[in-house]
Amino acid sequence: MATAMPVGRRERVTQWWGLRTRPERVAIEFAGAALALVLLWLVALDPLQRDGDRLSRRLADQRSALVEAHRQADEIAGLARSAPAARTGDARAAIEAALARNNLKPTGGAIERVDDNHWHLGFDGVAFDSLTALLEGLQRDAGLRAVEASATARVEPGQVRADVTLTR
């Protein structure tokens, strides 16, 4: 009685290949090569081409952003060159003159010096329009600008309680 030995996968493939005729083998080899080329294209070449196209578009976008950044830097440099010189002078006198021009009096009539470059004004009740006119005039005429401001509405229409810190 003959017993069949289990045949391994390699032996089965070799036996199957051996049973094919020469034209069948050539056709199978050709199909395998075509399949390998398709897989190579799908796995490697096509993604590389798409990435190259995507990177080319990003490069163009980044170059235009760089041109815009250079333009803005030149504009900023021009603004810095044409900026008015820092005003020196008595800031307290400028604040008092602006308050007098706008007929305003701070709470307690005091202009508090916070430190060398900062002054504080407080108003219990002031027209909001007058406050903005004061701040605009101080900015324009004396180079003083508000670095901190708080305004709280009062019951009277258009009136606010305000605290303003100014600096040069």
Side-chain angles (χ1 to χ4, degrees), residues 14-157:
T14 304
Q15 181 182 13
W16 178 83
W17 187 255
L19 293 174
R20 303 291 146 234
T21 64
R22 177 80 178 138
E24 286 177 330
R25 287 182 190 170
V26 169
I28 292 170
E29 288 170 350
F30 181 73
L35 180 63
L37 287 174
V38 168
L39 287 175
L40 176 67
W41 172 257
L42 291 175
V43 172
L45 299 177
D46 189 42
L48 284 174
Q49 182 182 11
R50 280 186 276 135
D51 286 347
D53 294 342
R54 180 181 51 82
L55 290 174
S56 295
R57 286 189 304 273
R58 274 186 57 196
L59 180 62
D61 291 343
Q62 289 176 349
R63 282 186 178 154
S64 65
L66 180 62
V67 167
E68 177 65 16
H70 281 297
R71 187 195 63 72
Q72 289 176 352
D74 292 343
E75 184 178 334
I76 290 169
L79 290 173
R81 283 189 298 273
S82 65
R87 292 182 178 94
T88 58
D90 188 17
R92 178 180 291 279
I95 295 170
E96 288 172 350
L99 287 169
R101 274 193 310 272
N102 290 291
N103 295 324
L104 296 176
K105 290 208 181 272
T107 303
I111 301 169
E112 298 175 32
R113 185 176 197 140
V114 178
D115 59 27
D116 288 342
N117 296 321
H118 294 86
W119 294 267
H120 178 264
L121 301 173
F123 299 95
D124 278 336
V126 64
F128 186 75
D129 294 340
S130 298
L131 179 64
T132 57
L134 171 71
L135 295 176
E136 180 184 7
L138 285 170
Q139 171 86 28
R140 180 187 59 243
D141 301 334
L144 292 165
R145 66 187 188 322
V147 291
E148 186 176 325
S150 68
T152 306
R154 295 183 47 101
V155 175
E156 302 89 11

